[in-house]
Coordinates of all heavy atoms in Angstrom, one line a residue:
H298 N -59.8 -6.0 23.5 CA -59.7 -5.5 22.2 C -60.4 -4.2 22.0 O -61.4 -3.9 22.7 CB -60.1 -6.6 21.2 CG -61.6 -6.9 21.2 ND1 -62.5 -6.1 20.7 CD2 -62.2 -8.0 21.8 CE1 -63.7 -6.7 20.9 NE2 -63.5 -7.8 21.6
P299 N -60.1 -3.4 20.9 CA -60.8 -2.2 20.7 C -62.3 -2.6 20.3 O -62.5 -3.6 19.7 CB -60.1 -1.6 19.5 CG -58.7 -2.2 19.5 CD -58.9 -3.6 20.1
D300 N -63.2 -1.7 20.7 CA -64.6 -2.0 20.4 C -64.9 -2.1 19.0 O -65.9 -2.6 18.5 CB -65.5 -1.0 21.1 CG -65.7 -1.2 22.6 OD1 -65.6 -2.4 23.0 OD2 -65.9 -0.3 23.4
D301 N -64.1 -1.4 18.1 CA -64.4 -1.5 16.7 C -64.0 -2.8 16.0 O -64.3 -2.9 14.8 CB -63.7 -0.3 16.0 CG -62.2 -0.3 16.0 OD1 -61.6 -1.1 16.7 OD2 -61.6 0.5 15.3
V302 N -63.4 -3.7 16.7 CA -63.2 -5.1 16.2 C -64.5 -5.8 16.3 O -64.9 -6.2 17.4 CB -62.1 -5.8 16.9 CG1 -61.9 -7.2 16.3 CG2 -60.8 -5.1 16.9
Q303 N -65.2 -6.0 15.2 CA -66.5 -6.5 15.1 C -66.5 -7.8 14.3 O -65.9 -7.9 13.3 CB -67.6 -5.5 14.6 CG -67.7 -4.3 15.4 CD -68.5 -4.6 16.7 OE1 -69.5 -5.3 16.7 NE2 -68.0 -4.1 17.8
G304 N -67.4 -8.8 14.7 CA -67.5 -10.0 14.0 C -66.4 -11.1 14.5 O -65.3 -10.7 14.8
I305 N -66.8 -12.4 14.4 CA -66.0 -13.4 14.9 C -64.7 -13.6 14.1 O -63.7 -13.9 14.7 CB -66.8 -14.7 15.2 CG1 -65.9 -15.7 16.1 CG2 -67.1 -15.4 13.9 CD1 -65.7 -15.2 17.5
G306 N -64.8 -13.4 12.8 CA -63.6 -13.6 12.0 C -62.5 -12.6 12.3 O -61.4 -13.0 12.6
P307 N -62.9 -11.3 12.2 CA -61.9 -10.3 12.5 C -61.4 -10.4 14.0 O -60.2 -10.1 14.3 CB -62.7 -8.9 12.3 CG -63.7 -9.3 11.3 CD -64.1 -10.7 11.6
L308 N -62.3 -10.8 14.9 CA -61.9 -10.9 16.3 C -60.9 -12.1 16.4 O -59.9 -11.9 17.1 CB -63.1 -11.2 17.2 CG -62.7 -11.4 18.7 CD1 -62.0 -10.2 19.3 CD2 -64.0 -11.7 19.5
R309 N -61.1 -13.2 15.8 CA -60.2 -14.3 15.9 C -58.8 -13.9 15.3 O -57.8 -14.3 15.8 CB -60.7 -15.5 15.2 CG -61.9 -16.2 15.9 CD -62.3 -17.5 15.3 NE -63.5 -18.1 15.9 CZ -63.6 -18.7 17.0 NH1 -62.6 -18.8 17.8 NH2 -64.8 -19.1 17.4
Q310 N -58.8 -13.1 14.2 CA -57.6 -12.7 13.7 C -56.9 -11.7 14.6 O -55.7 -11.8 14.8 CB -57.8 -12.0 12.3 CG -56.5 -11.7 11.6 CD -55.7 -12.9 11.3 OE1 -56.1 -13.8 10.7 NE2 -54.4 -12.8 11.8
W311 N -57.6 -10.8 15.2 CA -57.1 -9.9 16.2 C -56.4 -10.7 17.4 O -55.3 -10.3 17.8 CB -58.1 -9.0 16.8 CG -57.6 -7.9 17.6 CD1 -57.2 -6.6 17.2 CD2 -57.3 -8.0 19.0 NE1 -56.7 -6.0 18.3 CE2 -56.8 -6.7 19.4 CE3 -57.5 -9.0 20.0 CZ2 -56.4 -6.4 20.7 CZ3 -57.2 -8.7 21.3 CH2 -56.6 -7.4 21.7
I312 N -57.0 -11.7 17.8 CA -56.5 -12.6 18.9 C -55.1 -13.2 18.4 O -54.2 -13.1 19.1 CB -57.5 -13.7 19.3 CG1 -58.7 -13.1 20.1 CG2 -56.8 -14.7 20.2 CD1 -59.8 -14.0 20.3
L313 N -55.1 -13.8 17.2 CA -53.9 -14.4 16.7 C -52.8 -13.3 16.6 O -51.6 -13.6 16.8 CB -54.2 -15.0 15.3 CG -55.1 -16.3 15.4 CD1 -55.4 -16.8 14.0 CD2 -54.4 -17.4 16.2
D314 N -53.1 -12.1 16.2 CA -52.2 -11.0 16.0 C -51.7 -10.5 17.4 O -50.6 -9.9 17.4 CB -52.8 -9.9 15.2 CG -53.0 -10.2 13.8 OD1 -52.5 -11.2 13.3 OD2 -53.8 -9.5 13.1
N315 N -52.4 -10.8 18.5 CA -52.1 -10.1 19.7 C -51.7 -11.1 20.8 O -51.5 -10.7 22.0 CB -53.2 -9.2 20.2 CG -53.3 -8.0 19.3 OD1 -52.5 -7.0 19.6 ND2 -54.1 -8.0 18.3
V316 N -51.7 -12.4 20.6 CA -51.2 -13.3 21.5 C -49.9 -13.9 21.0 O -49.8 -14.4 19.9 CB -52.3 -14.5 21.7 CG1 -51.7 -15.6 22.6 CG2 -53.6 -13.9 22.3
A317 N -48.9 -13.8 21.9 CA -47.6 -14.2 21.5 C -47.3 -15.7 21.4 O -46.4 -16.2 20.7 CB -46.5 -13.5 22.4
D318 N -48.1 -16.5 22.1 CA -47.8 -17.9 22.2 C -47.9 -18.6 20.9 O -48.8 -18.2 20.0 CB -48.9 -18.6 23.2 CG -48.3 -19.9 23.7 OD1 -48.0 -20.8 23.0 OD2 -48.3 -20.0 25.0
E319 N -47.1 -19.6 20.6 CA -47.1 -20.3 19.3 C -48.5 -21.1 19.1 O -48.9 -21.2 18.0 CB -46.0 -21.3 19.3 CG -46.0 -22.1 18.0 CD -44.8 -23.2 18.1 OE1 -44.5 -23.8 19.1 OE2 -44.2 -23.4 17.0
T320 N -49.0 -21.6 20.2 CA -50.3 -22.4 20.1 C -51.4 -21.6 20.9 O -51.3 -21.3 22.1 CB -50.1 -23.7 20.8 OG1 -49.0 -24.4 20.2 CG2 -51.4 -24.6 20.6
V321 N -52.4 -21.3 20.1 CA -53.6 -20.5 20.7 C -54.8 -21.4 20.5 O -55.1 -21.7 19.4 CB -53.8 -19.2 20.0 CG1 -55.0 -18.4 20.6 CG2 -52.5 -18.3 20.1
L322 N -55.5 -21.7 21.5 CA -56.8 -22.4 21.5 C -57.9 -21.4 21.8 O -57.9 -20.8 22.9 CB -56.8 -23.6 22.5 CG -58.1 -24.3 22.6 CD1 -58.4 -25.1 21.3 CD2 -58.2 -25.2 23.8
M323 N -58.8 -21.2 20.9 CA -59.9 -20.3 21.1 C -61.2 -21.2 21.5 O -61.5 -22.1 20.7 CB -60.2 -19.5 19.9 CG -59.1 -18.5 19.6 SD -59.5 -17.4 18.2 CE -57.9 -17.4 17.4
V324 N -61.7 -20.9 22.6 CA -62.9 -21.7 23.1 C -64.1 -20.8 23.2 O -64.1 -19.7 23.7 CB -62.5 -22.2 24.6 CG1 -63.6 -22.9 25.1 CG2 -61.2 -23.0 24.5
D325 N -65.2 -21.3 22.6 CA -66.5 -20.6 22.7 C -66.8 -20.4 24.2 O -66.6 -21.3 25.0 CB -67.6 -21.4 22.0 CG -67.4 -21.4 20.5 OD1 -66.6 -20.6 20.0 OD2 -68.1 -22.2 19.8
D326 N -67.5 -19.3 24.5 CA -67.8 -19.0 25.9 C -68.9 -19.9 26.4 O -69.1 -19.9 27.7 CB -68.1 -17.5 26.1 CG -69.3 -17.0 25.3 OD1 -70.0 -17.8 24.6 OD2 -69.6 -15.8 25.4
D327 N -69.6 -20.6 25.6 CA -70.7 -21.4 26.0 C -70.4 -22.9 26.1 O -71.3 -23.7 26.3 CB -72.0 -21.2 25.2 CG -71.8 -21.5 23.7 OD1 -70.7 -21.7 23.3 OD2 -72.8 -21.4 23.0
V328 N -69.1 -23.3 25.8 CA -68.7 -24.7 25.9 C -68.9 -25.2 27.3 O -68.6 -24.5 28.2 CB -67.3 -24.9 25.3 CG1 -66.3 -24.3 26.2 CG2 -67.0 -26.4 25.1
Y329 N -69.5 -26.4 27.5 CA -69.7 -26.9 28.8 C -69.3 -28.3 29.0 O -69.4 -28.9 30.1 CB -71.2 -26.8 29.1 CG -72.1 -27.5 28.2 CD1 -72.4 -28.9 28.4 CD2 -72.7 -26.9 27.1 CE1 -73.2 -29.6 27.6 CE2 -73.5 -27.6 26.3 CZ -73.8 -28.9 26.5 OH -74.6 -29.6 25.6
G330 N -68.7 -29.0 28.0 CA -68.3 -30.4 28.2 C -67.5 -30.8 27.0 O -67.5 -30.2 26.0

């Protein structure tokens, strides 16, 4: 994503706008179990 996309809310929206799949699961990078 462009570096000017800042904050988790705008980033999550950017992901939804840029992933074509009907189902998108966003996973925190620190999830471990």
Side-chain angles (χ1 to χ4, degrees):
H298 65 80
D300 282 333
D301 65 349
V302 177
Q303 295 290 313
I305 194 63
L308 178 57
R309 289 190 190 283
Q310 187 60 55
W311 187 92
I312 291 169
L313 291 174
D314 292 342
N315 288 277
V316 174
D318 202 303
E319 177 184 39
T320 305
V321 179
L322 175 69
M323 293 183 224
V324 177
D325 291 347
D326 60 4
D327 60 352
V328 68
Y329 60 86

